[in-house]
Amino acid sequence: MRKLLLVISISITFPLLAIAQQPKKPNAVEIHEAIKKLNFLGSVLYVAAHPDDENTRLISYMSNKVKARTAYLSLTRGDGGQNLIGPEIRELLGVIRTQELLAARRTDGGSQMFSRANDFGYSKHPDETLAIWDKKEVLSDVVWAMRKFRPDVIINRFNHRTPGSTHGHHTSSAMLSVEAFDLVADKTVYPDQLEHVSTWQPKRLFFNTSWWFYGSRENFEKADKTNLLDFETGVYYPTLGLSNPEIASLSRSQHKSQGFGSTGTRGSQTEYIELIKGELPKDKTNIFEGIDTSWNRVKGGKAIGDILYEVENKFDFNNPSASISQLVKAYQLIEQLEDTHWKSIKSKEIKDIIAGVSGLYLEAVSKESNATRNSKITIDIEAINRSSAPIALKSIKIATLGITETPGISLENNIRKTYKLDGKVTADAKYTSAYWLKEKGSLGMYTVTDQKLIGTPETNHQIKAVFNIEINGAAIAYEKDIVFKTNDPVKGEVYKPFEIIPAVSASIKDKVIIYANGPSKQIPVAIKTGAPNISGVVSLSYPEGWQVSPETINFSLTQKGEEKTVVFTLTAPKNQSEGYISPKVKVNGTTYSNEIVTISYEHIPEQTVVMPSETKVVRLDIQKKGQNIGYIEGAGDVVPESLRQIGYKVTTINPESISAETLKSFDAIVVGIRAYNTIDQLKFKQEHLLNYVKNGGNLIIQYNTNRRLKVTDNLGPYPLKLSRDRVTDENAKITFLAPDHQVLNSPNKITSEDFNGWVQERGLYFPNEWSKEYTAILSANDKGESEKKGPLLVAKYGKGYYVYTGLSFFREFPAGVSGAYRLFANMLSLGK
């Protein structure tokens, strides 16, 4: 798969164009637009709850049209969502969605921030949300984000005044933002933060409203708009050949794991924001009215502005380097600013512009994609000046490798300079893994003990090359991440992040192992080296009452990256039991217990996640009837693998091949989650599936949403209507509506204990209307809500059985929930 996102040049703020690994190569138009942004000293913070909540039209408009420094604060990383592109869920899905947000911001020109809140799943009310999140801590993170980013204007995506009307996370994000607005300037509030930041007071806070929040366009037209500002966000950018909505759609489409591909539009569009706090601007098209966004905003800024406004107005698109002298003068003045906030921001911006106008290309490439602590490493350096400006390469320093090189040479116009530098990774170098996953968190919060890390989108790589450059007599330091670069025969130049990994990792492929057909199983443990010549001993920790043989296994590996699998025999107790096993690798007195997970998709940079290696083992009391299961894949789940764990033979069915002939050999057919939302062919194949039931088959359909259904009139053999009903409390009481039904009694007797230990939710998008032919098996409800009777419906049709379920088996199976397996086995056994 492709390892790197290649970003199309659509953002007109070129410093955000390229991902961290790839050197920036801005063209003259992008440089000029960056100079315009350099000359705007104003900030907007957009606040919501999840990746994909943000209004990319407004973010793009503020960044690209207004030129404001614009950030999106997503309180969560979207860990509780569903993954439409692969098997990753929970923490690993959060890693994917983090990178999708960063890709979106590179597209629309914004930047990205987070809190420590964990997306624990759908919540119906902010009271529940804020209790699970730990309101005090998440509010602290919102205050921290405001103090750190120092926005003049805050825009909330959701309405803080309507708790219970939408996702509890959504309303909570707005409520926390409103509360933080009044706290951020108070020195007595979270005073420990003031060791790193100062207090701040935003000027005004808005709610990004629309007709949708009023119920209809007609209601919105009639509404009082006294406190509303409106913006024409359908603007066209001639230098790009793109409209703002087209850029916004490209940004929105980066949320691929959620299926949010968006078609670009053209023409007039209006966005509305309602004033919640602060003074309403008289000019309702100017969100920054009354705020000085010129260089006069900072002490000493006038002299800088005098230089840079002239650079902007007289910019030579055919010879950008003509501006170098003035840009260097402005840089030197920026470095003297007393205002450390704007000094830091504008220094970075103007350094990138100076590099852009001079065609300065600096790169540090590792010979290998990863390294371990104390390992030796070779770095290839490239430096070139593609202008006539006097530029000198004074030194190159890579502190974490112990490298200092002092070329002290002039970089002559278009003459490439290269060096090979050898160094050694320090013994205390940190793994380049998601920092928020390094310590165990809670249901609602990630654990991050370093205040300075809180809110940062990703781990800051330690190993960087600092190029000390002299341009027009001024010393400027450029910091570059070490990268790994290869040449692909098809794709050409391909970049990957350079990673620091453990010397040894150990993993067990299956994260849940079910004992359903015998007391013992072989447990393969894959050991992989990050360095050469590694020898040691492997053992397996296991729950009380279980037995493992042998106790230890010796291993020896000579090559870096070499992998060896050792096999333990794990024997379960006689009675139902569960617990966790974990491999422990001891090398030279050090114990390693982490595994390395690589996430590789074409639209995001490859991610290397170092996390504890752990597998749940379950001794399951389960009976089953039938053997051959056909599975039609939906939007991504691990149900097929889970069914194989308990002894079924599972065959994946290509939707195009569905016919009476291909279906007749199966004891049951299972349809994956959201298949009827994502697979067009099913609207042509549904007749075959229902005929399969009529002729004696057993069809189980897992949840779909009522939007974008490919099949609407005959989702089942009898009338059936989907709703948005769901039960989000995973501990909600389950009532047996049909206690004598076969699905609750054979071959396994299902009791209330089978619904203990469920995770995240009971289920979602239940049917709320169905014909008398269906039997409602179960009911449940969240606190204060009416009974929901649609989690599991069974209908006899012809000689067979049709089952529709919104129960979240796709979440329970990966968590090893015993009762979920037992109930599903009963569903598969219907009619047998």
Side-chain angles (χ1 to χ4, degrees):
M1 296 181 72
R2 196 172 181 180
K3 302 297 193 291
L4 179 73
L5 171 68
L6 299 180
V7 181
I8 301 171
S9 281
I10 61 166
S11 171
I12 56 180
T13 52
F14 80 81
L16 298 170
L17 267 174
I19 69 173
Q21 294 83 22
Q22 190 171 13
K24 300 162 188 167
K25 304 171 187 177
N27 60 44
V29 170
E30 292 166 342
I31 294 170
H32 188 241
E33 294 297 333
I35 294 170
K36 291 180 182 179
K37 193 155 191 169
L38 179 67
N39 285 332
F40 191 95
L41 280 70
S43 303
V44 176
L45 181 65
Y46 197 90
V47 180
H50 310 108
D52 71 47
D53 282 346
E54 78 275 26
N55 184 338
T56 54
R57 296 180 301 277
L58 201 51
I59 290 176
S60 177
Y61 177 83
M62 289 297 166
S63 178
N64 296 325
K65 176 63 176 177
V66 179
K67 306 300 183 191
R69 178 171 164 262
T70 308
Y72 172 42
L73 171 59
S74 175
L75 295 193
T76 76
R77 296 176 185 268
D79 325 74
Q82 285 125 46
N83 186 358
L84 302 188
I85 61 173
E88 297 89 356
I89 59 173
R90 295 302 309 152
E91 292 87 351
L92 294 181
L93 177 58
V95 173
I96 292 173
R97 298 190 73 186
T98 294
Q99 291 299 319
E100 288 179 336
L101 268 180
L102 289 171
R105 299 294 79 78
R106 288 190 293 270
T107 302
D108 58 35
S111 59
Q112 187 60 50
M113 304 177 77
F114 293 96
S115 82
R116 290 170 293 169
N118 190 345
D119 178 7
F120 57 84
Y122 193 87
S123 174
K124 292 181 177 178
H125 200 279
D127 288 350
E128 178 197 40
T129 298
L130 295 174
I132 294 175
W133 273 356
D134 187 341
K135 177 187 173 183
K136 180 182 177 182
E137 293 303 309
V138 182
L139 178 61
S140 166
D141 291 357
V142 177
V143 170
W144 167 257
M146 292 180 182
R147 286 173 172 172
K148 189 176 179 181
F149 189 73
R150 299 170 72 89
D152 300 300
V153 176
I154 298 169
I155 303 174
N156 291 341
R157 184 67 183 105
F158 300 105
N159 192 346
H160 69 288
R161 298 161 294 194
T162 56
S165 63
T166 183
H167 197 323
H169 296 186
H170 292 170
T171 310
S172 295
S173 71
M175 293 169 64
L176 291 168
S177 177
V178 171
E179 187 172 350
F181 184 91
D182 293 329
L183 299 177
V184 67
D186 188 340
K187 292 182 179 180
T188 66
V189 174
Y190 303 116
D192 291 349
Q193 295 180 1
L194 302 181
E195 295 179 19
H196 312 288
V197 294
S198 59
T199 58
W200 176 250
Q201 183 56 61
K203 185 77 171 179
R204 42 184 78 103
L205 181 146
F206 295 92
F207 158 46
N208 184 193
T209 190
S210 70
W211 68 265
W212 188 85
F213 291 96
Y214 287 77
S216 69
R217 294 184 185 275
E218 182 180 3
N219 289 344
F220 184 62
E221 290 300 320
K222 296 177 182 177
D224 180 9
K225 297 183 179 60
T226 302
N227 283 340
L228 267 62
L229 274 66
D230 58 89
F231 305 99
E232 170 52 59
T233 58
V235 293
Y236 174 66
Y237 303 117
T239 55
L240 296 176
L242 290 170
S243 67
N244 192 73
E246 287 174 308
I247 293 176
S249 293
L250 290 167
S251 174
R252 182 76 169 167
S253 296
Q254 300 305 317
H255 297 295
K256 298 184 189 302
S257 66
Q258 302 301 294
F260 281 129
S262 177
T263 300
T265 61
R266 290 144 293 280
S268 178
Q269 289 187 6
T270 305
E271 286 289 335
Y272 295 90
I273 57 175
E274 177 189 357
L275 183 72
I276 301 299
K277 287 182 176 289
E279 184 180 345
L280 185 71
K282 294 178 182 178
D283 178 0
K284 292 192 175 183
T285 64
N286 182 9
I287 198 172
F288 284 99
E289 184 184 78
I291 302 169
D292 190 349
T293 58
S294 73
W295 276 104
N296 292 329
R297 178 170 191 163
V298 296
K299 182 180 178 181
K302 183 180 183 305
I304 299 169
D306 288 344
I307 296 170
L308 292 179
Y309 296 132
E310 183 179 5
V311 170
E312 178 184 333
N313 294 329
K314 295 183 178 180
F315 186 75
D316 187 342
F317 288 85
N318 293 316
N319 182 22
S321 63
S323 301
I324 288 178
S325 177
Q326 288 176 291
L327 287 167
V328 169
K329 288 179 183 177
Y331 167 75
Q332 292 173 312
L333 292 174
I334 289 172
E335 287 294 288
Q336 298 172 22
L337 288 175
E338 296 178 10
D339 188 323
T340 56
H341 173 72
W342 285 112
K343 173 184 175 180
S344 174
I345 294 165
K346 295 304 177 181
S347 176
K348 174 66 170 64
E349 289 181 10
I350 198 169
K351 282 165 61 175
D352 286 340
I353 291 169
I354 291 170
V357 298
S358 63
L360 181 61
Y361 183 97
L362 303 169
E363 186 175 70
V365 177
S366 168
K367 289 287 190 183
E368 299 180 78
S369 62
N370 55 60
T372 61
R373 294 165 179 165
N374 295 313
S375 64
K376 294 181 179 180
I377 181 173
T378 298
I379 304 296
D380 287 334
I381 298 292
E382 179 180 348
I384 187 170
N385 165 26
R386 290 169 288 182
S387 74
S388 58
I391 298 178
L393 176 58
K394 293 296 187 179
S395 68
I396 306 162
K397 292 185 178 181
I398 309 175
T400 46
L401 298 181
I403 292 175
T404 299
E405 184 78 7
T406 54
I409 61 167
S410 295
L411 295 178
E412 299 175 7
N413 185 10
N414 214 31
I415 303 298
R416 179 171 173 260
K417 299 292 184 181
T418 60
Y419 301 89
K420 286 189 183 297
L421 307 179
D422 294 319
K424 184 179 180 181
V425 181
T426 56
D428 60 350
K430 295 179 180 179
Y431 302 142
T432 48
S433 181
Y435 70 86
W436 62 94
L437 298 180
K438 290 185 177 180
E439 296 185 42
K440 189 174 181 62
S442 65
L443 173 63
M445 297 289 293
Y446 283 117
T447 299
V448 182
T449 55
D450 185 344
Q451 179 67 51
K452 290 181 289 185
L453 277 178
I454 292 174
T456 56
E458 57 184 341
T459 300
N460 185 26
H461 285 209
Q462 285 184 297
I463 302 187
K464 299 175 182 291
V466 178
F467 294 82
N468 291 300
I469 304 293
E470 187 176 274
I471 304 179
N472 270 33
I476 303 178
Y478 286 95
E479 192 175 75
K480 301 290 181 180
D481 284 343
I482 306 296
V483 296
F484 174 66
K485 182 171 67 173
T486 57
N487 182 71
D488 185 275
V490 176
K491 301 167 186 173
E493 189 176 62
V494 175
Y495 284 82
K496 286 176 55 176
F498 172 73
E499 311 282 4
I500 301 298
I501 62 172
V504 182
S505 61
S507 63
I508 301 171
K509 179 183 177 182
D510 296 317
K511 298 310 171 189
V512 173
I513 298 176
I514 306 295
Y515 284 70
N517 303 292
S520 299
K521 283 182 180 285
Q522 290 191 323
I523 309 296
V525 177
I527 305 163
K528 189 173 183 178
T529 63
N533 301 317
I534 298 289
S535 298
V537 178
V538 190
S539 62
L540 200 64
S541 64
Y542 52 93
E544 185 177 354
W546 295 63
Q547 295 179 343
V548 68
S549 177
E551 285 290 337
T552 60
I553 299 175
N554 295 326
F555 76 95
S556 181
L557 298 169
T558 58
Q559 301 296 317
K560 176 180 178 178
E562 188 177 352
E563 187 170 324
K564 181 177 183 178
T565 299
V566 299
V567 180
F568 294 90
T569 298
L570 183 67
T571 303
K574 292 181 179 180
N575 298 324
Q576 186 157 307
S577 173
E578 61 183 55
Y580 290 89
I581 60 174
S582 178
K584 306 293 182 185
V585 183
K586 193 168 186 178
V587 177
N588 295 329
T590 300
T591 299
Y592 298 87
S593 58
N594 287 323
E595 66 176 313
I596 297 175
V597 179
T598 301
I599 301 174
S600 184
Y601 291 100
E602 290 192 2
H603 67 298
I604 60 174
E606 184 173 281
Q607 299 296 298
T608 299
V609 183
V610 179
M611 58 194 307
S613 181
E614 189 176 71
T615 287
K616 186 175 185 179
V617 289
V618 180
R619 170 66 172 93
L620 183 58
D621 179 13
I622 189 171
Q623 303 295 321
K624 49 188 192 302
K625 297 178 181 179
Q627 179 68 22
N628 295 316
I629 309 300
Y631 197 85
I632 301 170
E633 293 183 340
D637 58 52
V638 294
V639 171
E641 296 90 328
S642 300
L643 296 181
R644 292 185 185 106
Q645 284 258 21
I646 56 175
Y648 287 104
K649 178 183 178 182
V650 183
T651 303
T652 300
I653 301 173
N654 185 332
E656 293 181 355
S657 71
I658 293 174
S659 67
E661 187 64 26
T662 59
L663 300 180
K664 69 180 183 179
S665 63
F666 294 108
D667 296 314
I669 304 292
V670 180
V671 181
I673 60 173
R674 295 182 65 180
Y676 287 93
N677 298 125
T678 58
I679 302 174
D680 287 327
Q681 294 97 321
L682 286 183
K683 61 187 173 184
F684 308 114
K685 302 296 184 177
Q686 183 70 349
E687 180 181 0
H688 295 300
L689 290 170
L690 295 180
N691 283 336
Y692 161 78
V693 179
K694 192 173 184 179
N695 293 326
N698 183 3
L699 177 65
I700 298 172
I701 296 178
Q702 298 178 86
Y703 96 91
N704 291 266
T705 66
N706 54 13
R707 294 180 60 226
R708 301 177 183 173
L709 269 175
K710 308 299 182 182
V711 176
T712 55
D713 296 331
N714 63 337
L715 184 62
Y718 311 110
L720 175 73
K721 184 177 180 181
L722 303 183
S723 73
R724 297 187 67 80
D725 288 349
R726 62 198 302 164
V727 176
T728 62
D729 182 357
E730 62 269 33
N731 299 309
K733 181 183 176 182
I734 296 289
T735 300
F736 290 6
L737 300 176
D740 296 329
H741 195 282
Q742 177 186 344
V743 79
L744 294 178
N745 292 278
S746 177
N748 303 286
K749 179 65 176 178
I750 303 301
T751 70
S752 59
E753 291 184 2
D754 287 297
F755 291 92
N756 293 339
W758 284 50
V759 299
Q760 190 157 331
E761 62 200 354
R762 287 299 189 193
L764 63 170
Y765 299 116
F766 303 144
N768 64 347
E769 295 180 22
W770 52 85
S771 67
K772 61 182 177 60
E773 289 83 0
Y774 293 98
T775 299
I777 306 297
L778 306 169
S779 71
N781 58 273
D782 284 317
K783 183 179 179 180
E785 293 194 351
S786 62
E787 185 180 38
K788 305 295 186 293
K789 297 183 178 182
L792 178 59
L793 301 178
V794 181
K796 189 79 167 64
Y797 179 58
K799 299 177 182 179
Y801 285 87
Y802 172 92
V803 180
Y804 188 93
T805 180
L807 293 171
S808 58
F809 292 102
F810 71 101
R811 296 199 190 281
E812 311 316 316
F813 285 172
V817 177
S818 301
Y821 280 92
R822 286 164 45 82
L823 178 56
F824 209 90
N826 281 14
M827 291 158 54
L828 292 170
S829 301
L830 281 168
K832 304 296 185 294

